């Protein structure tokens, strides 16, 4: 099932113009021809790969809704890049990456960052549901009016709606400063 999902994500990325533009623009800005050969094609140096991947994600984040960018993306870490290069071990040995190779590594980094943020968002949504349920249980225990107020709160603020909304709001506004993408 994992390979099927990965192929679906790859298909979506192939169709996503924002992603394609971000990769192409970053490559054209940051690539240079190797100094030892006049005829060699330009590429991204291995030493600047993390910086270039970060620039791609920054461009994507700038083109989508800022809240969606904050919820779904973060600055890639060296571990993300190491993971991507381990998935494409032949690329780890190259001093300079061509456009296709850079796109392959960037795609892998993007999928890892998005999966990490998805797990984080899931935890916040679950936490929001738990917080709403705990609040409702506390209200139910109030003497005299607890039952009536709890019934009213359950109708006005259904846990299945308010809990996830609270979780998403928490995920958007509780950030580690180093991981913010504006």
């Amino acid at each position: 099932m994992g390979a099927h999902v990965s192929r679906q994500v790859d298909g979506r990325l192939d169709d996503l113009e924002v992603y394609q533009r971000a990769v192409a623009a970053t490559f054209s800005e940051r690539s240079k021809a190797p100094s030892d050969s006049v005829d060699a094609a330009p590429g991204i140096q291995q030493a600047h790969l993390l910086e270039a991947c970060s620039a791609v994600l920054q461009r994507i984040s700038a083109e989508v809704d800022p809240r969606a960018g904050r919820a779904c993306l973060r600055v890639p870490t060296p571990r993300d890049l190491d993971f991507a290069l381990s998935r494409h071990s032949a690329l780890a040995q190259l001093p300079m990456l061509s456009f296709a190779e850079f796109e392959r590594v960037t795609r892998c980094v993007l999928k890892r960052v998005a999966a990490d943020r998805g797990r984080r968002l899931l935890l916040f949504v679950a936490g929001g549901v738990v917080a709403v349920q705990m609040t409702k249980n506390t209200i139910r225990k109030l003497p005299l009016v607890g039952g009536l107020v709890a019934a009213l709160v359950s109708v006005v603020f259904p846990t299945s709606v308010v809990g996830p909304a609270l979780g998403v709001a928490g995920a958007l506004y509780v950030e580690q400063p180093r991981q913010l993408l504006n």
Side-chain angles (χ1 to χ4, degrees):
M1 181 167 150
H4 176 69
V5 171
S6 183
R7 281 193 303 273
Q8 283 184 325
V9 171
D10 285 336
R12 299 288 167 118
L13 286 175
D14 289 339
D15 295 339
L16 192 63
E17 289 181 27
V18 171
Y19 170 74
Q20 298 299 329
R21 279 194 312 263
V23 171
T26 301
F27 185 83
S28 69
E29 270 181 12
R30 296 178 182 263
S31 64
K32 55 183 166 181
S35 58
D36 60 347
S37 175
V38 177
D39 295 335
I44 301 267
Q45 291 180 344
Q46 190 75 250
H48 300 190
L49 195 52
L50 181 61
E51 201 176 281
C53 287
S54 183
V56 169
L57 295 182
Q58 187 73 36
R59 284 180 190 274
I60 292 170
S61 182
E63 286 198 39
V64 298
D65 181 1
R67 290 173 296 210
R70 270 199 325 230
C72 300
L73 299 175
R74 64 167 168 74
V75 175
T77 64
R79 289 178 61 178
D80 297 325
L81 184 60
D82 290 344
F83 175 79
L85 291 173
S86 73
R87 302 277 299 205
H88 305 286
S89 56
L91 300 180
Q93 310 304 319
L94 299 175
M96 189 155 315
L97 276 67
S98 68
F99 177 78
E101 295 161 341
F102 171 65
E103 194 275 334
R104 217 173 325 152
V105 170
T106 302
R107 179 181 297 251
C108 192
V109 168
L110 175 63
K111 289 193 297 189
R112 181 175 165 94
V113 166
D116 178 58
R117 294 303 276 196
R119 284 188 293 273
R120 179 181 180 277
L121 189 59
L122 178 64
L123 290 174
F124 270 90
V125 167
V129 170
V130 168
V132 169
Q133 196 58 46
M134 287 175 59
T135 303
K136 286 182 177 182
N137 287 342
T138 302
I139 291 172
R140 253 186 230 110
K141 293 178 183 179
L142 291 174
L144 300 174
V145 294
L148 179 62
V149 173
L152 180 64
V153 168
S154 290
V155 170
V156 175
F157 301 111
T159 303
S160 61
V161 174
V162 176
L166 183 64
V168 169
L172 288 175
Y173 296 107
V174 177
E175 287 285 338
Q176 293 95 16
R178 150 186 112 61
Q179 292 186 340
L180 273 178
L181 274 178
N182 293 331

